[in-house]
Amino acid sequence: MSTPTTIKQGNLTFLRVAIALQTLAVFAAPVTAGLLLTTPSGHVLHSAAAYSVFTVALVHLAAAILAWRPGGGPPGPILNAAGFLAATLAQVALGIAHVTTLHVPLGVLMFGMSLLQLSRILKTS
């Protein structure tokens, strides 16, 4: 079975960048949520942040697949990326439905998940 250290360097770099962007996008979402509550254009900004998280989650999934199949890495990061994408879809649905009692804690969980994924991939050589 392959170990993370056997991932081709280009694919590993792509995966690292995707997870770093994902973490930044998830961090920006609560900032724009604060703007949602305080400024008239906050809704547009928070919506843009949600689209950014969704887009970067898709890129993360693609990077995980590339790191696994042609890159020679393990399939585990694909499950992490798919789980994060599922959480993102749930987060969007909860936000649209205005279920803040679940939307806010899920956002905090997603930020923690993304930080954990980032710390793990940065340790990989």
Side-chain angles (χ1 to χ4, degrees):
M1 184 146 128
S2 299
T3 62
T5 57
T6 61
I7 300 174
K8 290 181 184 174
Q9 194 59 38
N11 293 330
L12 180 60
T13 300
F14 182 39
L15 185 58
R16 285 178 175 160
V17 168
I19 296 173
L21 288 174
Q22 172 183 282
T23 305
L24 287 173
V26 173
F27 181 76
V31 172
T32 60
L35 293 173
L36 173 72
L37 300 173
T38 59
T39 63
S41 62
H43 182 329
V44 174
L45 294 172
H46 193 59
S47 179
Y51 281 115
S52 298
V53 171
F54 176 73
T55 302
V56 176
L58 286 174
V59 170
H60 175 200
L61 182 59
I65 292 169
L66 289 173
W68 166 62
R69 198 60 177 154
I78 296 172
L79 294 175
N80 294 336
F84 192 86
L85 182 59
T88 301
L89 293 172
Q91 182 73 336
V92 169
L94 291 169
I96 290 171
H98 301 287
V99 184
T100 56
T101 56
L102 296 176
H103 182 75
V104 172
L106 181 57
V108 172
L109 178 65
M110 288 172 62
F111 183 65
M113 287 170 44
S114 194
L115 277 177
L116 183 61
Q117 290 173 0
L118 183 61
S119 69
R120 285 181 177 170
I121 199 68
L122 289 177
K123 290 178 185 177
T124 305
S125 55

